[in-house]
Amino acid sequence: MDQAGRTAWPGAPAGPEATLDAEAAELLPFLKQGARADLQTAAAQHILALTGTGPGRAVLAGQAGLLQALAELAAAAAPAPAVARDAARALVNLAADPSLHEQLLAADPGLHARLLGRALDPQWPWADEAAAALANLSREPAPCAALMETLAAAAPGSGLERLVCALCTPGYNARAPLHYLGPLLSNLSQQPAARAFLLDPDRCVVQRLLPLTQYSDSSLRRGGVVGTLRNCCFEHRHHEWLLGPEVDILPFLLLPLAGSEDFSEEEMERLPVDLQYLPPDKQREPDADIRKMLIEAIMLLTATAPGRQQVRDQGTYLILRELHNWEPEPDVQIACEKLIQVLIGDEPECGMENLLEVQVPEDVEQQLQQLDRQEQEQLEQQQRELAGGSKGEGPAPT
Amino acid sequence: MEGSQPDAADDRHMDAFLDKFRSQPYRGGFHEDQWEEEFDKIPLFMKKAPSEVDPKENPDLACLQSIIFDEERSPEEQAKTYKDEGNDYFKEKDYKKAVISYTEGLKKKCVDPDLNAVLYTNRAAAQYYLGNFRSALNDVMAARKLKPHHLKAITRGALCHLELKHFAEAVSWCDEGLHIDAKEKKLLEVRAKADKLKRTEQRDVRKAKLKEKKEQNQNEALLQAIKVRNIRLISEAAGEDEDTASEGLGEIFLDGLSSENPYGARLSLDDRGRLSWPVLFLYPEYAQSDFISAFHEDSRFIDHLMVMFGETPSWDSEQKYCPDNLEVYFEDEDRTELYQVPPKSTLLQVLQHPRYFVKALTPAFLICVGASPFCKNFLQGRKVHRVK
C-alpha cells in the first residue's frame, strides 16, 4: 500500500522519469482495442506497476492518450479478463492520487459515468475495482460534487437509488462484493443533494441502510454506512422523523455499541426492543473509528431539545454507561463521556419537571433565549468543524 | 324518426288515448298509500338491488339480469360483468358475495390477463376482509403470475403476510413493490410496521430463550442440591426405587421441577443454598390433610405443628389434636412399614432417611394422636420403626 488510507494495488519500483515517459508512450499502441492479446496483457501489467509509485503515476498523468486508453480498457467487455482487471486496478491507483483527478477527467470526461455504470452493473466482474476507483475519487470535494451531479442526472432508478440498492442487496453482483460502495456513499453523503435523497420522507432509503450497521463481513461497508448515517444526522430538521417510528434510527446506532449486558427487568424494558435480551455472545463493534462515528451520530441527534429527550427516553444512557466501562480507546472514551454528560445533565429540579409550567419573569426569559441562541450557534460551529474534519473519510481500506 | 313536425296521425292517437281517461280511471299508476314501495321495485329507480332476485316478485329485474349474464356474450364481457358485480358487493362490504362473483368471472377463463389479474386481486381483497389470509395470498400470487408488477396485488400480498405474521416476507414484498413505485404510501407504511413487528418478534424469541436457559439452570441447581443431600426421589409412574444418581431419572424430575404441583407450589432453593419443599400432612383418622407450601428443610416438624395446631382444627371432633399429642409417621415405599419421626427432627433429617422416598417431589407424612384408639388400630399389624 502506497499512501496510507487510500486503496491501492502494489506496483514495482520506478526508474528515471525521462525514460519512463518514453516507455509509457511506447505502450500506447499495445493498449488499444484490437491489439495482440498477449501484448495487451503485458502492457496492462506494466501500466499497473507504474501506477504503484508516485513518479510512475505522475508520468502516466501526463499522457492523456494513455489515460483514455486505460479508461476504455477498464470498461471494455472484449479483452482478456486479466487486461480489464489490471487496467481497472491501474485506474484505482491513479484515482487515489488527488493531484491526478483533473488530468484523469480531462483525458476521459465520461470517466465518472463510465465508472458508475460499471460499478453498478450486476454482471460486471470488475465492479469492485470501479467502485474502489470511485471511492478514491470521491474523497476530494470537487470530484465528489461532480459525481453527485452525474448521479443526479442519471435516469430514475439508475442513480443514487441504484447505488443504495446495490449496497443493500446481498449478492447484487455475484462476482464482486462491492464493499467500496460503503465509503463511496459516505463521501457522497457530504453533498446536500445526496442527503436530500437519503432522507426523503416519501421514500424508503435511509431505512434500508440501518441494518448494515451490523454487517460483520466488512468493516469497509459497515464504516461507510455508519459514516453516511452520521452525515445524515447533521440535518436537524429531519431529527424528529429519524428518531420516530418511520425510521427509528437510534436502536441501529446503539446496537453495535452494546455488549451482552445483564440489565435488570426494569432497565431492560426501557431499552428499544432491538437491544433487549441480547444473547451472551453479543460482540461490540470492533473498529474504534466506527464506534466513534456512532457516538458522534447520536451526539448530533441530541442537538435539539426534543431530540435529546427522545434519545434519553430510549435508554441510551444505559448502553453508554456499559460502553464506557468497557471502552479501551481513550478518544472513543472521551466521546462517550461527552455524550453521557449531555444525557445526564439538564435534569429538571423538583417542581420544574414540566418546564412549560414554570413561571419565568420576562427579563430572565429574554436572557435565557439569548443564551440559547448562542449555544445553538456554538453547536453548529462545532458541527461544521466536525464535518470539515471528516471530509474524504474512510476506514482504512485493506 | 325524422322531421320536427309532429305527425298528425300520432297526435290524433294521443288525443284519443288521453280522452279515454275522462271516463276510465288509469289503472297502471302507483297506489297512493304504497307508492314508495312500488317505486323501489322498478329497476331504474332502485337504490339498492335486492340480494336475491325472484323472477315472480321482480320480473323486470330478472329480465335485465338475464340480458347482462347472457351466455352468448364473449367471455371477456361476461367476466367484466362479474367483476363489476363483485365490485358492487365489495363496496357494500358483502365480501362473501363478492368472492362468488369474482370466482364466476374467473371461471369464464377469458384470455385477457389484465382482467384476470384484477379478478384475482379483487378476490384476494375480499378474502382478506373475510380473514382468509392464505386464500387471499394464493389469489395474489395467481394475479402476479399473470402480471408480476401489479402493484395492488403486491400490496395486498404484503398485507396478508403481515396478518399471517410472516414479517420478513411482508418486508420483502413491500420492497418489491417499492422497486416499482418508490413512493407508494401504503407500501411504505406496511414496510415500517412489518419491520418493527419483526424486530419485536426477534426480541420475544431472545427473551424466551434466556428465560428457558435461566429456568434450566435453576432446575439443574435444584437437582444438584437434592443429589448432594442423597435424597431419594420417586416419580409418580415408577414403581421401583432408583438412585437419583441415574441420569434418566434426573430428566424426569427436571420436568417435574418446572411444573407446579397440583397445589401450586414448587421446590425452591434460597440464596443460602437451603431447600424448601412443598409438604403434605395427612390425617388418616379423619381423612383430612394439610398442605405446607414451603417447608424449610432446616425447620422442625414441631415448629410447624405448633403453629398449625395452635387451635384444634374443625374436623377434630374430639379436640385431641394438640401439638404435644401428635405423632408423625412416614410409610416406606412398599407401604408396609411405618417409621415414626420425632417431631423435633428437621425435614432434612427425615428426607435423608434411607427408607424415605419423596414421591412427586412432595414429601408426605401421616399424623395421628399417640395413644388414641385410632392410632393403636392404625399401627396394629404393621412393623413400626423409630427414627433417630
Side-chain angles (χ1 to χ4, degrees):
Chain A
M1 182 119 87
D2 194 48
Q3 283 182 15
R6 305 219 182 242
T7 310
W9 265 283
E17 276 201 25
T19 46
L20 269 180
D21 239 335
E23 261 181 47
E26 282 172 26
L27 288 171
L28 183 53
F30 302 114
L31 289 172
K32 293 271 194 234
Q33 313 255 17
R36 234 174 75 184
D38 55 343
L39 293 175
Q40 218 181 37
T41 311
Q45 271 178 355
H46 198 80
I47 299 282
L48 177 57
L50 277 177
T51 63
T53 73
R57 282 196 292 273
V59 157
L60 286 170
Q63 310 248 356
L66 256 185
L67 288 178
Q68 189 172 29
L70 205 59
E72 281 173 19
L73 265 187
V83 174
R85 183 198 61 210
D86 285 345
R89 288 181 178 177
L91 270 181
V92 172
N93 289 353
L94 290 169
D97 193 335
S99 57
L100 301 179
H101 288 172
E102 233 184 272
Q103 287 108 314
L104 273 172
L105 264 181
D108 184 7
L111 182 65
H112 288 175
R114 197 200 300 260
L115 283 173
L116 277 168
R118 282 313 182 196
L120 299 179
D121 180 347
Q123 312 299 329
W124 186 241
W126 319 119
D128 248 6
E129 282 79 357
L134 286 167
N136 282 346
L137 281 170
S138 63
R139 291 173 70 112
E140 300 300 314
C144 188
L147 267 170
M148 190 58 223
E149 268 176 43
T150 311
L151 278 166
S158 311
L160 204 47
E161 204 176 321
R162 190 87 179 267
L163 208 170
V164 174
C165 181
L167 188 56
C168 300
T169 308
Y172 177 85
N173 183 324
R175 283 173 281 190
L178 295 178
H179 299 313
Y180 289 107
L181 291 181
L184 173 58
L185 187 62
S186 178
N187 292 340
L188 286 169
S189 66
Q190 292 168 51
Q191 302 289 323
R195 288 198 299 276
F197 176 77
L198 290 168
L199 297 174
D200 188 345
D202 294 334
R203 289 173 184 271
C204 175
V205 190
V206 69
Q207 295 92 325
R208 294 185 199 283
L209 294 172
L210 299 176
L212 291 174
T213 61
Q214 289 282 108
Y215 188 87
S216 46
D217 290 352
S218 161
S219 63
L220 202 57
R221 182 184 292 234
R222 214 166 57 238
V225 167
V226 170
T228 307
L229 293 175
R230 190 222 23 207
N231 289 348
C232 286
C233 286
F234 277 103
E235 300 286 340
H236 294 192
R237 278 160 302 164
H238 286 93
H239 281 185
E240 200 181 320
W241 176 71
L242 282 171
L243 288 165
E246 289 169 77
V247 182
D248 204 12
I249 193 176
L250 189 58
F252 293 93
L253 296 173
L254 285 173
L255 194 51
L257 297 172
S260 151
E261 254 49 84
D262 207 6
F263 290 119
S264 74
E265 188 89 18
E266 186 247 1
E267 284 174 328
M268 205 64 95
E269 295 298 313
R270 278 199 270 152
L271 296 171
V273 294
D274 308 83
L275 285 120
Q276 291 181 10
Y277 305 104
L278 293 173
D281 55 359
K282 170 74 174 63
Q283 298 294 328
R284 285 192 168 89
E285 166 60 60
D287 188 316
D289 286 333
I290 299 181
R291 287 200 299 275
K292 186 143 177 244
M293 281 198 286
L294 288 164
I295 297 177
E296 283 166 2
I298 303 175
M299 181 70 100
L300 285 167
L301 291 168
T302 62
T304 68
R308 238 183 340 266
Q309 197 52 47
Q310 283 250 48
V311 172
R312 271 196 206 113
D313 289 345
Q314 293 190 50
T316 307
Y317 170 71
L318 289 169
I319 303 297
L320 286 176
R321 180 187 74 194
E322 299 305 318
L323 175 67
H324 190 261
N325 290 340
W326 169 92
E327 180 57 61
E329 293 293 322
D331 57 341
V332 183
Q333 230 190 10
I334 292 174
C336 188
E337 274 166 21
K338 280 193 183 157
L339 182 49
I340 291 179
Q341 270 310 308
V342 169
L343 294 176
I344 64 178
D346 255 8
E347 296 295 356
E349 298 173 304
C350 205
M352 293 188 67
E353 291 87 342
N354 189 344
L355 294 171
L356 293 172
E357 288 183 10
V358 171
Q359 297 286 17
V360 182
E362 221 196 76
D363 51 345
V364 179
E365 166 106 42
Q366 282 180 2
Q367 272 186 326
L368 288 174
Q369 283 180 357
Q370 170 80 327
L371 285 172
D372 262 347
R373 273 194 293 274
Q374 283 174 353
E375 194 194 290
Q376 190 66 19
E377 275 166 18
Q378 271 177 0
L379 203 59
E380 279 168 345
Q381 172 68 1
Q382 264 181 352
Q383 283 158 358
R384 275 194 290 275
E385 283 164 13
L386 250 178
S390 66
K391 74 136 200 180
E393 61 82 344
T398 47
Chain B
M1 260 218 302
E2 56 155 59
S4 44
Q5 286 177 4
D7 200 353
D10 282 336
D11 261 356
R12 261 177 282 139
H13 277 132
M14 196 55 178
D15 287 341
F17 180 68
L18 287 172
D19 278 341
K20 265 202 296 185
F21 295 111
R22 289 189 214 266
S23 45
Q24 298 169 25
Y26 173 59
R27 295 214 191 278
F30 296 127
H31 292 102
E32 252 184 68
D33 43 351
Q34 51 180 45
W35 72 267
E36 279 166 3
E37 288 162 33
E38 293 180 6
F39 204 68
D40 277 336
K41 279 203 179 150
I42 299 176
L44 191 59
F45 297 115
M46 274 180 188
K47 291 197 199 70
K48 209 168 138 6
S51 45
E52 296 297 335
V53 177
D54 182 358
K56 292 204 192 75
E57 273 288 299
N58 237 314
D60 305 323
L61 201 55
C63 214
L64 283 171
Q65 280 211 329
S66 75
I67 295 173
I68 57 176
F69 289 111
D70 183 7
E71 287 295 322
E72 285 178 18
R73 293 159 76 232
S74 76
E76 281 73 25
E77 282 179 331
Q78 293 185 58
K80 183 171 187 309
T81 308
Y82 278 117
K83 180 198 81 166
D84 291 335
E85 188 188 55
N87 289 353
D88 287 337
Y89 282 131
F90 194 101
K91 278 196 202 102
E92 291 172 23
K93 299 200 200 294
D94 195 341
Y95 301 117
K96 284 210 172 89
K97 289 239 172 67
V99 169
I100 294 171
S101 300
Y102 295 133
T103 309
E104 288 301 311
L106 285 165
K107 276 195 195 152
K108 294 298 164 191
K109 293 200 189 305
C110 75
V111 295
D112 181 354
D114 286 332
L115 184 51
N116 283 327
V118 169
L119 281 166
Y120 275 120
T121 306
N122 291 5
R123 190 170 75 175
Q127 293 282 36
Y128 177 87
Y129 286 108
L130 287 169
N132 303 332
F133 304 118
R134 284 187 196 277
S135 308
L137 210 46
N138 286 336
D139 278 343
V140 152
M141 294 202 269
R144 288 191 72 191
K145 268 216 183 85
L146 296 167
K147 285 191 73 186
H149 294 190
H150 194 51
L151 216 49
K152 281 200 174 141
I154 295 175
T155 310
R156 183 62 53 195
L159 285 166
C160 287
H161 278 304
L162 192 59
E163 292 298 324
L164 291 167
K165 301 206 193 305
H166 303 158
F167 301 126
E169 281 87 348
V171 169
S172 170
W173 278 60
C174 287
D175 282 341
E176 282 184 56
L178 288 168
H179 205 66
I180 299 164
D181 178 0
K183 298 194 175 191
E184 220 293 320
K185 283 210 186 313
K186 188 73 187 166
L187 285 173
L188 290 170
E189 193 190 298
V190 174
R191 189 190 191 279
K193 201 167 168 191
D195 190 66
K196 187 61 194 257
L197 287 169
K198 179 181 82 175
R199 286 147 53 199
T200 307
E201 188 184 61
Q202 285 168 341
R203 186 273 314 258
D204 292 339
V205 164
R206 291 197 301 268
K207 190 174 180 181
K209 231 176 176 168
L210 233 55
K211 185 170 171 208
E212 195 186 303
K213 190 80 182 74
K214 202 170 166 193
E215 222 174 76
Q216 208 184 14
N217 289 346
Q218 276 176 346
N219 288 349
E220 276 168 11
L222 283 173
L223 214 55
Q224 184 62 18
I226 293 174
K227 198 168 166 181
V228 149
R229 288 158 174 69
N230 272 322
I231 296 175
R232 279 144 285 274
L233 300 178
I234 270 195
S235 73
E236 290 273 343
E240 319 156 0
D241 34 315
E242 282 188 45
D243 222 325
T244 47
S246 83
E247 283 295 316
L249 211 57
E251 265 148 46
I252 299 176
F253 292 125
L254 266 179
D255 285 335
L257 281 170
S258 303
S259 53
E260 296 182 339
N261 69 16
Y263 303 93
R266 17 180 322 199
L267 183 58
S268 62
L269 201 59
D270 69 14
D271 3 337
R272 291 210 204 107
R274 308 308 295 166
L275 286 171
S276 288
W277 296 79
V279 168
L280 265 177
F281 281 176
L282 302 165
Y283 313 108
E285 183 172 1
Y286 289 98
Q288 291 287 336
S289 65
D290 270 325
F291 177 73
I292 300 152
S293 54
F295 194 136
H296 193 282
E297 63 183 349
D298 298 323
S299 60
R300 306 174 305 168
F301 285 84
I302 187 67
D303 300 323
H304 290 268
L305 293 172
M306 297 278 280
V307 169
M308 291 160 72
F309 290 90
E311 288 177 5
T312 54
S314 49
W315 45 259
D316 182 13
S317 44
E318 290 169 27
Q319 301 225 324
K320 62 182 191 281
Y321 278 71
C322 306
D324 296 329
N325 302 345
L326 300 175
E327 288 179 350
V328 183
Y329 296 86
F330 70 80
E331 284 178 315
D332 78 355
E333 190 40 32
D334 306 323
R335 299 172 123 263
T336 49
E337 304 185 352
L338 287 172
Y339 293 76
Q340 185 177 11
V341 174
K344 291 202 180 149
S345 325
T346 64
L347 179 61
L348 180 58
Q349 286 168 332
V350 182
L351 292 182
Q352 287 181 316
H353 191 276
R355 296 299 295 165
Y356 192 92
F357 293 83
V358 180
K359 198 163 180 193
L361 295 169
T362 308
F365 298 94
L366 300 158
I367 296 179
C368 54
V369 174
S372 69
F374 171 82
C375 193
K376 290 200 182 102
N377 204 16
F378 183 67
L379 298 176
Q380 185 144 56
R382 299 174 79 161
K383 186 127 193 264
V384 183
H385 306 262
R386 304 231 171 244
V387 169
K388 251 290 310 169

